[in-house]
Amino acid sequence: MSLLDRTVVFTTALRQAGVPVSSAETVDAVRALGAVGLLDRDALRAGFAATMCKRPTYRAIFDTLFDLYFPSWIGDGLSVDGFPITEDDVSGTPEDSRRPGNAADGEHDLELLRQVLRRQLLDVLLRGDDEELRRLARDAVTRFGSSPAAPGKRSWFAYRVLRALSPDTLVADLLSAMLGEQETGGLAERVARQTIAERIRSFEEMVATEVRRRLAEERGVDAVAKTAVKPLVDQVDFLRASQRDLVEMRRRVHPLARRLATRLTARRRLGRSGRLDFRRTVRSSLATGGVPLETHHRPHKPHKPELVVLCDVSGSVASFAHFTLLLTHALREQFSRVRAFAFIDTTDEITRFLRGSDLGDMMARIAAGADLVWFDGHSDYGHAFDVFADRYPDAVGPKTSLLVLGDARNNYRATAAPVFGKLCAQARHAYWLNPEPRTYWGSGDSATHAYADLVDEMVECRNVEQLQAFIERILPSG
């Protein structure tokens, strides 16, 4: 495969992983390839990243795929003699255990090699030499990372390498060597611990990169590329997000709300708004001989509509509820009044719990102080809507935007569609965000067929990307 073909295949893999790369950017990447050449791989990586990565969030995926399609070496990649075992390394070893034919020779040699590599790892981590650390990761994967998978093929595992070398158990020795005579417990120790953690994390990433490279040689680059990268945070389903994904999503939702607030303010500021100010227009025309070349308008008082959020917080959509509540909290400044309600099989107002900025505290206060269970704690949209309409009759009015968040899984119970339809008719706008794929709507106990025609729009909202697209559509323009 030529370098041009490999570059095209690389851009295709980026697109499949969720990184948007246009044809023009592919051409730019090829030009960068000709400009920086192949002798400096880091320069080539930087050139490709400059032409293909539009956002910092794409860089991790880019680096993973770049290492697969443009590896720095092939095969074992061992140094000429690997890590040589010297006389010092074997000193103190019982002579009979090293005699030819001894059954313990194989296990002993493997343990001896492991101890040698651990000493090498300790020394390299202490010096912070990235090139040596990368070489050590390469040799360690070759020595400990493989196991037979099929005749003529091998499987490679990062955990086997990390279990053999156990870099986490070297922290005490590294800390002692770094601190020397300095006093423990102070700033120097905290800095040293952070440095050690970063270097160990870097080594683990190098091992994972080497394992992916070896797997790509065994199974093919394209096959490994499909599973080598995780989906972008913007594309991770709310309902399937891991704890680490949840933390990253929290970081993405709040800046999103701030950007939307800035965009909303800019929309109100641009263009003509308000009634014509005749007096100012006439005055300004005196400078042009009485010809009103520029008209002036009275300041327009921004319209800040009311927002009512009705959120399903049952176990099936708990992750989705976390982020919709966070978004509601972040958008409070854009509305004259925000009222938030949660329900499982009954409804309670949770506006009083939306103080502070920590999402975990908000959810804990809601769980402890809100009355959300009436009968058995399973979703009952019908009863929840009945309680909402009866207990809070003034919540929805002609200035209100009603936002319902939930999967409409009603456990085959009554839907109270007429009551919900009346609420939607009273509101200025009514929208429903559904975290389930559209293909699942109406299946099983889903009551989407009863509610979809009553709201202005029922939207599939499974990730941050879809949430952003929806918010941009419904934001008031003034």
Side-chain angles (χ1 to χ4, degrees):
M1 181 184 293
S2 68
L3 287 175
L4 178 60
D5 293 336
R6 184 171 290 271
T7 302
V8 173
V9 173
F10 173 56
T11 58
T12 301
L14 287 173
R15 294 189 190 112
Q16 292 174 347
V19 179
V21 181
S22 66
S23 298
E25 289 165 342
T26 303
V27 173
D28 291 340
V30 174
R31 290 175 178 170
L33 176 64
V36 303
L38 299 176
L39 297 181
D40 191 340
R41 184 169 175 269
D42 291 337
L44 178 62
R45 182 196 297 268
F48 275 9
T51 58
M52 297 180 183
C53 289
K54 300 182 182 68
R55 296 167 52 188
T57 52
Y58 299 148
R59 188 57 192 262
I61 293 178
F62 171 88
D63 285 337
T64 299
L65 293 178
F66 182 87
D67 288 332
L68 286 176
Y69 284 91
F70 298 92
S72 55
W73 51 78
I74 60 175
D76 288 343
L78 281 170
S79 54
V80 177
D81 297 319
F83 280 90
I85 300 177
T86 65
E87 290 297 327
D88 292 336
D89 295 323
V90 299
S91 61
T93 304
E95 182 66 25
D96 59 349
S97 68
R98 301 198 301 274
R99 292 174 183 169
N102 193 313
D105 281 352
E107 294 183 3
H108 177 269
D109 291 343
L110 189 63
E111 175 62 21
L112 187 61
L113 177 61
R114 189 181 76 86
Q115 294 297 333
V116 172
L117 291 180
R118 275 177 57 82
R119 283 195 290 272
Q120 293 280 351
L121 178 59
L122 178 65
D123 177 64
V124 175
L125 288 174
L126 188 60
R127 291 187 285 113
D129 189 329
D130 287 342
E131 287 302 320
E132 285 296 314
L133 196 62
R134 192 171 289 107
R135 184 169 70 93
L136 178 61
R138 180 175 70 236
D139 286 0
V141 169
T142 301
R143 302 293 190 185
F144 297 103
S146 65
S147 65
K153 293 187 177 182
R154 302 186 70 83
S155 291
W156 300 85
F157 305 94
Y159 82 90
R160 292 171 64 96
V161 179
L162 299 178
R163 183 179 62 184
L165 298 188
S166 303
D168 290 338
T169 62
L170 300 175
V171 172
D173 292 335
L174 289 168
L175 192 61
S176 176
M178 283 186 174
L179 291 179
E181 300 296 328
Q182 298 183 66
E183 184 179 354
T184 61
L187 178 61
E189 180 178 347
R190 292 199 297 270
V191 172
R193 287 187 180 277
Q194 182 177 355
T195 302
I196 292 169
E198 291 175 353
R199 291 178 183 177
I200 290 178
R201 189 182 309 113
S202 179
F203 174 72
E204 292 172 348
E205 292 173 355
M206 291 174 184
V207 169
T209 298
E210 176 65 13
V211 166
R212 284 193 295 267
R213 183 188 69 81
R214 300 306 298 262
L215 286 173
E217 291 182 358
E218 293 284 349
R219 304 176 185 176
V221 178
D222 294 339
V224 175
K226 294 179 180 179
T227 58
V229 296
K230 295 177 59 179
L232 293 170
V233 174
D234 287 357
Q235 300 169 351
V236 174
D237 284 4
F238 290 124
L239 301 181
R240 295 176 176 82
S242 65
Q243 189 62 36
R244 182 176 298 178
D245 293 330
L246 298 180
V247 173
E248 184 61 28
M249 285 180 184
R250 293 189 188 109
R251 297 174 183 170
R252 300 301 298 270
V253 169
H254 201 72
L256 169 63
R258 289 201 303 267
R259 290 198 303 270
L260 294 175
T262 303
R263 177 173 176 267
L264 177 59
T265 303
R267 280 186 175 183
R268 289 172 177 168
R269 188 183 301 118
L270 295 175
R272 296 174 178 175
S273 60
R275 300 173 60 184
L276 177 68
D277 190 331
F278 183 77
R279 180 173 298 179
R280 290 183 60 202
T281 302
V282 170
R283 284 178 179 175
S284 66
S285 68
L286 296 178
T288 56
V291 180
L293 296 180
E294 181 180 0
T295 60
H296 295 268
H297 296 257
R298 299 181 186 277
H300 176 70
K301 186 177 181 180
H303 171 64
K304 300 182 75 174
E306 300 173 358
L307 175 65
V308 169
V309 180
L310 192 56
C311 180
D312 180 1
V313 294
S314 60
S316 62
V317 292
S319 298
F320 179 60
H322 276 61
F323 297 101
T324 52
L325 286 176
L326 179 60
L327 185 64
T328 302
H329 178 269
L331 288 174
R332 291 175 68 183
E333 295 182 357
Q334 301 305 313
F335 297 87
S336 61
R337 184 172 61 173
V338 174
R339 298 185 69 181
F341 301 84
F343 67 89
I344 297 179
D345 62 359
T346 190
T347 305
D348 193 9
E349 183 168 6
I350 59 172
T351 308
R352 62 190 183 277
F353 300 118
L354 298 181
R355 62 180 185 275
S357 59
D358 186 85
L359 181 62
D361 289 344
M362 282 191 285
M363 294 304 296
R365 289 195 297 267
I366 291 171
D371 181 16
L372 305 177
V373 177
W374 164 68
F375 179 58
D376 59 359
H378 293 89
S379 296
D380 189 340
Y381 279 71
H383 186 261
F385 291 151
D386 283 335
V387 171
F388 176 75
D390 181 65
R391 191 179 298 175
Y392 310 101
D394 299 329
V396 179
K399 294 183 179 181
T400 303
S401 292
L402 176 62
L403 188 59
V404 183
L405 313 167
D407 58 3
R409 293 285 171 181
N410 199 34
N411 293 295
Y412 301 101
R413 295 173 177 175
T415 61
V419 175
F420 181 70
K422 184 178 179 181
L423 292 172
C424 295
Q426 292 173 350
R428 183 184 182 187
H429 301 292
Y431 300 97
W432 189 308
L433 303 188
N434 193 325
E436 280 196 334
R438 188 177 294 271
T439 53
Y440 294 171
W441 294 4
S443 64
D445 63 342
S446 173
T448 53
H449 61 281
Y451 301 123
D453 294 336
L454 302 177
V455 295
D456 294 339
E457 186 178 5
M458 182 176 284
V459 183
E460 178 184 311
C461 185
R462 296 185 291 113
N463 51 48
V464 174
E465 188 175 64
Q466 292 179 335
L467 181 60
Q468 177 177 356
F470 168 73
I471 292 297
E472 290 177 348
R473 289 206 309 273
I474 68 166
L475 271 178
S477 59

